[in-house]
Amino acid sequence: MATAIDAAHVTYEAPDLEVMEKFLTAFGMVKAEGSDDRTLYMRGTGTQHHIHVTRKADKQRFVGASIEVAGYDDLVELAAKPGSSPVRESTEPGGGHEVSMTMPDGIEIRAIWGRRKAEPIPDRDPFATNNVRDKNRVNAAVRQPVAPCTIARLGHFVLHVKDHDASMAWLNERFNFLPSDYFVPPGEEGPLVGTFVRLDLGERLVDHHFMLVLQSDWAGVHHSAFEVTDMDAVMSSHDYLVQQGYRLDVGVGRHLLGSQIFDYWKDPFGFRIEHYTDGDVVDHRHRPTKFNGTASETTQWGNRPPLEFFQ
């Protein structure tokens, strides 16, 4: 199976690229090289050429996600799977090669390799914090204006699928994913209705989850999530987006599974999008647990989601 090493980007369709660009800029992204009147490419401060793609179309739609793999041989292996495209040169800016695949519910997953890295964009250092025991910030003050934060990277995305087991089998046949935690129905021990998926990079630390696959009566994206510098970035950007009149969804709070401090918004076309920071990192020794609580119980503190949040 192919070795996945990063979440490269998510792809959407929308009828107005200018409206989307204005929102994503306020959200903390930067317009990337190669954008035109048909496709908007947005990047973060990291080295991925782009992390969010919007194609112009009559109606809004989630297309899918692109996953970076370790080598060209991974693409060759994936191309041999039923339903995969041949290995081909990417037509997106940054180049490289890709294989396009379609999950059982029609969600497109692309494996990419060899895309040109972007030059990182300078950003401020995370603020040191002073807790009751450790005083890490000495003779220095926190000064964070209300302004757009800077997005570092695409951290994860969450997919709704109509057959959780079939979708997980499809993914596990193709990529070296590991489970981090499971969802089961509230108050029950099974069956599995959701799997938090992480990258398997051995002793190298990875995010608690790179993807969440959730059983649902509809298929598509629940949200895509982007990592920011620290909690001050989350909070100051929250205030800025409120001032700009954008639609808050759920936030700010701290998740239970993954521990991220989160802030969910809706983009102008109704797609849920998340700022997060301070998430758990794990290695190959982490073992999954089962969570059988309600949606509101996935939040440790802060603004709790309604019961239908994951429906």
Side-chain angles (χ1 to χ4, degrees):
M1 62 187 67
T3 300
I5 61 173
D6 197 13
H9 64 270
V10 284
T11 301
Y12 298 81
E13 292 178 345
D16 193 323
L17 299 188
E18 290 184 4
V19 169
M20 184 66 93
E21 180 185 350
K22 182 179 179 181
F23 169 77
L24 292 175
T25 300
F27 197 72
M29 298 184 200
V30 177
K31 191 174 184 179
E33 171 195 4
S35 297
D36 55 29
D37 60 355
R38 300 301 306 172
T39 310
L40 173 66
Y41 298 97
M42 301 293 288
R43 64 164 295 185
T45 60
T47 61
Q48 286 289 357
H49 183 279
H50 49 273
I51 57 177
H52 190 291
V53 178
T54 310
R55 303 172 185 163
K56 190 168 185 178
D58 292 337
K59 296 182 179 180
Q60 57 263 42
R61 181 173 76 95
F62 173 71
V63 176
S66 293
I67 299 169
E68 185 177 2
V69 296
Y72 185 86
D73 289 346
D74 293 312
L75 297 183
V76 173
E77 181 178 348
L78 290 169
K81 299 291 184 183
S84 295
S85 75
V87 179
R88 61 196 182 198
E89 292 187 4
S90 174
T91 59
E92 292 190 336
H97 289 78
E98 67 180 23
V99 170
S100 179
M101 300 159 283
T102 305
M103 292 182 64
D105 287 307
I107 297 169
E108 181 183 79
I109 298 293
R110 290 193 183 192
I112 69 168
W113 174 81
R115 186 162 77 182
R116 184 174 70 253
K117 296 298 183 183
E119 189 69 25
I121 298 174
D123 196 4
R124 69 166 175 82
D125 292 331
F127 291 125
T129 57
N130 290 337
N131 60 49
V132 70
R133 184 188 65 192
D134 303 312
K135 307 303 181 184
N136 302 305
R137 193 178 66 254
V138 178
N139 296 326
V142 172
R143 295 293 182 266
Q144 174 63 46
V146 173
C149 65
T150 46
I151 298 291
R153 55 189 280 267
L154 169 64
H156 62 266
F157 51 92
V158 175
L159 302 180
H160 278 231
V161 299
K162 294 183 179 180
D163 188 329
H164 166 271
D165 293 349
S167 294
M168 286 305 306
W170 187 93
L171 289 166
N172 288 330
E173 183 183 2
R174 288 162 175 78
F175 296 99
N176 64 322
F177 295 145
L178 292 175
S180 287
D181 285 303
Y182 299 112
F183 275 121
V184 296
E188 302 179 22
E189 291 303 312
L192 299 182
V193 295
T195 300
F196 285 95
V197 171
R198 73 182 190 272
L199 302 176
D200 180 9
L201 299 180
E203 295 184 355
R204 177 177 158 187
L205 296 178
V206 299
D207 290 345
H208 169 270
H209 58 277
F210 150 93
M211 186 190 311
L212 169 59
V213 177
L214 278 174
Q215 178 76 37
S216 182
D217 57 2
W218 62 277
V221 68
H222 180 272
H223 73 270
S224 53
F226 299 86
E227 187 173 16
V228 303
T229 304
D230 55 20
M231 187 170 178
D232 287 279
V234 172
M235 297 304 298
S236 61
S237 182
H238 176 100
D239 287 354
Y240 179 79
L241 290 168
V242 167
Q243 289 178 1
Q244 297 302 305
Y246 287 113
R247 180 182 169 191
L248 175 65
D249 187 40
V250 179
V252 174
R254 187 186 281 278
H255 283 308
L256 178 66
L257 301 171
S259 302
Q260 297 94 338
I261 294 172
F262 65 82
D263 197 26
Y264 291 98
W265 295 81
K266 290 291 187 71
D267 75 19
F269 304 99
F271 294 112
R272 183 178 284 115
I273 188 169
E274 178 189 7
H275 284 145
Y276 79 90
T277 192
D278 194 26
D280 294 337
V281 292
V282 300
D283 60 20
H284 64 290
R285 293 168 293 187
H286 174 77
R287 294 294 178 265
T289 63
K290 288 183 179 180
F291 174 78
N292 64 355
T294 64
S296 63
E297 291 171 331
T298 62
T299 298
Q300 298 189 63
W301 54 255
N303 189 200
R304 297 180 182 276
L307 293 177
E308 65 271 16
F309 184 69
F310 288 116
Q311 294 176 356

